[in-house]
Amino acid sequence: MTDDLLARHRAVLPSWMPLYYDEPIELVSGSGRRVTDARGRSYLDFFGGVLTNMIGYDIPEIREAIERQLATGIVHTSTLYLIRQQVELAEKIAQRSGIPDARVFFTNSGTEANEAALLVATNHRRSHQILAVRNSYHGRSYAAMGVTGNRTWSASGLNPLQVAWLHSGDRVRGLLSRLGADEQVDAAVEDLREVLATQTAGDVAALIAEPIQGVGGFVHPPDGLFAGWKKVLDEHGILFIADEVQTGWGRTGEHFWGYQAHGITPDLLTFAKGVGNGFALAGVVGRAEVLQAVPGISFSTFGGNPISTAAGNAVLDYLLAHDLQANAARVGAILADGLRSAVGGLDCVAEVRGKGLMLGVEFVRPGTSEPDPALTNRVFEACRAGGLLTGKGGLHGNVLRMGPPLTLTEEEAREGLAILVDAIRSAAEVAA
C-alpha cells in the first residue's frame, strides 16, 4: 500500500529529500505520456521525471535497444575497455554540439557533468575563479552547489571555488526587471564588466549559465544576452560553459540547444536528463584543447556504460527521426498561447514564460510582485486532482513548472491545458 510505503520511506530516507503532494503517490506503470499510480489512478505527465523522460514511457525503440544490449550479457565493463555504444553516441553528440573539434566525457548526472566542466575550466585557465548567475541551479556536489545561486538549494556554505555573481534574466523582480530587452542586455553586459573589475583578480576561469534556469522557475534572459557576455569574456580569455541539462535536445522548440538563441558557441556544454530518457546518462562536450586540459588520469566508473549509452543512442535517433524539436515548438505554442489567453490576465499571475515544452507560470499576491507559494501549491494540488502531474520551482517556490515529454500530442496538450486553466482559475477564486 502507498501509505505503508510512505511510512517506510520516512523511516529510512533523509527528511531533506522532498516528496510531492500532500498525499505522496507511487507511480507503478507508464505508457506514452501517461503514468498510473499504485491505486490505479492515471495521470497525464507534464513533468516527465523533472524533464528527464523526454520521449515518454514504454517506447518500443528504446526498450528494444536496451534488451539487445542486455542480451549480450554485458551491462558494465568500465571505460578501461572500448564501448561501441559510447563511441557511437559521442560521435553523434559531438557532431550535434556545434562545437568544433569536440570531445565528449560521459558522467551519470547533470551534477557530475557540471562538476566535470568546472574541473576542466579551472585546469585550463589555472584559476578557481568562476562567474555564475543569480537564481541558477547546477547540482548538489560542492563545486556545482558553489555556483548555484538559489539559497533553497545551497545545502552548504563550503565552496572550493571563488564565485562572483551576475544578474539573472528575471523580468518580474530585481534590478534589471524594469528594463526593456535591449536595455537589459546592455545593463547586464555593463554589470559583467564591473564584476570583473571589482570582484575578481582578473584571471577568471569561466562563466557558467543556463539558457533557461530550470530550478529557478524557467526564468530566462532576452535572446542575445549571452552574445554580449561572451564578447567581454573573449576579451579576457574566459571560457563560457552552457548548462544545457534541461534546455538541450530541442526542448525549447526554437533550437536544438538553448545557447543557440544567443548566436554564440560555448567552449563547454553540459548535458543530462532527457538524453537517457530515465537511464543515468550525462556528460560534458567541449573543444579538444579545453576538455583535454585535465593533467591527471580521470574517468567515470559508470559514466557512458553500455546500457545507458544504448538508451542514449536510441533516444537521440528517435528524437531526430521524429523531429521532436518541431513538435516541441508546435505543441508548446498551444500551451503557452492558451495559458496567456486564459489566465495571463489574472492579477495573481505575474508571468507565463518559457519556450517550447519548458513553460512556467509565476504566481503572486494579487496586484503585487510578492511571491505566493501557497497559491502555487493549491494550483499544484488541483492539477494532480484533475489528473495532471506538474512541477514546482522558482527562488520563492511560486512557479508552476511544466516540461512534458517532447512526444506530447496536440490533443494531449489541449487536455492538459484545460486542467491547468481550471486549476488556476479555481485556486485564484479561493485566493480572492
Side-chain angles (χ1 to χ4, degrees), residues 90-91 93-105 265-268 284-292:
E91 289 171 339
I93 292 174
Q95 191 275 326
R96 299 291 307 190
S97 72
I99 298 174
D101 193 23
R103 299 293 187 275
V104 181
F105 176 69
T265 301
D267 300 288
L268 295 162
V284 54
V285 53
R287 288 187 288 116
E289 64 168 302
V290 177
L291 198 66
Q292 295 179 162

Side-chain angles (χ1 to χ4, degrees), residues 157-179:
L158 301 176
N159 191 350
L161 303 169
Q162 181 177 323
V163 183
W165 299 95
L166 304 179
H167 288 286
S168 75
D170 197 331
R171 303 180 201 188
V172 175
R173 59 186 62 82
L175 290 176
L176 305 187
S177 64
R178 65 201 70 172
L179 303 176

